Amino acid sequence: MNVSPDALLGALVVVAGAVLVVAGVRWKGRSVRPPAPRRARRAAWQSYVRALTRSAELAIASARGAAGRGEPAIVTVESVVRLAHERFGYEEVSRAHAAAALRHAYERGRCAADCMTDAYSSIQ
């Protein structure tokens, strides 16, 4: 049997392609699924906390911008929940989590001098 080098190379390419197709079918979706569920939950929680923190900061900035001269800025937990939904796409936001994020941003931003909030009355 006399096989030309071109036919041998063509067969090798076909076999290599078939191996790649079989490997792709075998491992399909593995890169999409999280490798560790615990790590995926932790990453989702961290994203949620960042979104709530940013929503609280945006709510404070928005309230300060809307307040008139000499008036205190009124920042509500509901505005944090609304911003988390509108800006970050979270359908369900716990009011307790939003209140905690607002309290944290309120204290970190030294808002007691010019802001009022209902985050402290939302403590359960």
Side-chain angles (χ1 to χ4, degrees):
M1 178 167 154
N2 195 4
V3 179
S4 72
D6 289 336
L8 189 60
L9 183 63
L12 184 63
V13 168
V14 169
V15 169
V19 168
L20 286 175
V21 167
V22 169
V25 168
R26 170 73 175 96
W27 290 297
K28 177 184 171 191
R30 284 223 176 155
S31 63
V32 176
R33 288 186 300 235
R38 191 171 71 203
R39 190 177 338 150
R41 283 191 300 272
R42 184 175 62 228
W45 174 254
Q46 289 171 343
S47 175
Y48 176 72
V49 170
R50 274 192 307 272
L52 282 180
T53 301
R54 186 68 182 133
S55 296
E57 292 168 353
L58 287 170
I60 290 171
S62 175
R64 281 180 168 163
R69 174 171 263 159
E71 293 178 353
I74 300 172
V75 188
T76 63
V77 174
E78 188 57 40
S79 64
V80 175
V81 171
R82 181 180 44 78
L83 282 169
H85 172 68
E86 290 175 359
R87 297 274 179 131
F88 300 100
Y90 286 98
E91 295 292 327
E92 302 265 338
V93 177
S94 167
R95 288 186 57 79
H97 293 157
L102 182 54
R103 284 190 301 271
H104 181 71
Y106 187 85
E107 292 166 0
R108 193 180 67 233
R110 297 182 187 90
C111 297
D114 64 341
C115 295
M116 293 173 51
T117 185
D118 63 347
Y120 292 98
S121 63
S122 297
I123 298 174
Q124 306 296 340

